[in-house]
Amino acid sequence: VITSHSNSRLQLVRRLQRARDRRDLGLFVAEGEDLLAAADAAGWAPEERLAAAGSGLPGEEVEPELLARASSLGSGTRTLGIFRQRWAEAPAGPRCVALWGVRDPGNVGAVLRSGLAFGVSCVALGPDTADPWSPKAVRASMGAVFAVPLARSSHPSTLPPPRIALVARAGTPLRGPAEPFTLVVGAEREGLPGEVVEACEQTAHIPIASESLNAAMATTIALYELTR
Ligand SMILES: C[S@@+](CC[C@H](N)C(=O)[O-])C[C@H]1O[C@@H](n2cnc3c(N)ncnc32)[C@H](O)[C@@H]1O
């Protein structure tokens, strides 16, 4: 049973709350029985698996209070796993979603969750997009982070065509079903940069009565329309 706060595994768990350490080490943490069950179901084996002593859960046992202190959750956790990040070589069709400057990790996780629901082949992360392996994104994905291929993209030309720029109040009303597609979604505040919109084959909007939708909501509605 791990009984010391300075145990190397617990130190690693705490380090992985920092974006820089996640990037440098290529690792991330998933907390809680539901997320670890999703990882198991998707065939992801953790590098380390820790469980509160006496919980009966699989993994190396840790004093419950020490595990709670290492947790990113205010309520603590009964179990967690340290996993190696997986990145696809490149964004892939036929159903790709590209997030461009979506800074809220909760939105990134919610898009992964929708992406899994609508059978996307890839979620591509453009510049200035939140880390999908952050504790908040992993939690918001409800385990979809283990099932949806993730890729990086530095320029829209790397995205499989045809690319649809999703812009509130611009272009044509979005009409589906349509496949293949890459749906390009913009930042919470600024939306999509003009040069990214120009690099896309099509610009489309979801007709609404207000200014705009939340980025993850817009993605979900658009995926429904394109795949129904
Ligand atoms: C909160 S919105 C950005 C609002 C920003 N002020 C703008 O006007 O583009 C975040 C992203 O969600 C998508 N989005 C939100 N509402 C949309 C709508 N009605 N039609 C198409 N896309 C929408 C766009 O990709 C947008 O870049």
Side-chain angles (χ1 to χ4, degrees), residues 166-168 185-192 204-206 208 212-213 215 218:
L166 209 51
V167 183
V185 179
E188 288 87 354
R189 187 174 288 273
E190 305 89 9
L192 282 173
H205 65 272
I206 300 162
I208 54 171
S212 69
L213 293 159

Side-chain angles (χ1 to χ4, degrees), residues 98 100 102 107 164-170 172 174 183-193 204-219 221-222:
W100 225 263
V102 175
N107 278 338
I164 306 171
L166 209 51
V167 183
R169 304 181 317 281
T172 56
L174 185 70
L183 199 57
V184 189
V185 179
E188 288 87 354
R189 187 174 288 273
E190 305 89 9
L192 282 173
H205 65 272
I206 300 162
I208 54 171
S210 61
E211 281 283 300
S212 69
L213 293 159
N214 157 281
M217 296 279 186
T219 307
I221 293 169

Side-chain angles (χ1 to χ4, degrees), residues 2 7 9-10 13 36 48-52 57-62 67 78-82:
I2 296 173
N7 173 273
R9 289 174 186 81
L10 292 178
V13 170
L36 293 199
E48 306 281 355
R49 190 173 189 132
L50 305 180
L57 295 167
E60 190 164 356
E61 292 198 88
V62 187
L67 192 60
R78 279 164 26 106
T79 185
L80 58 79
I82 299 174

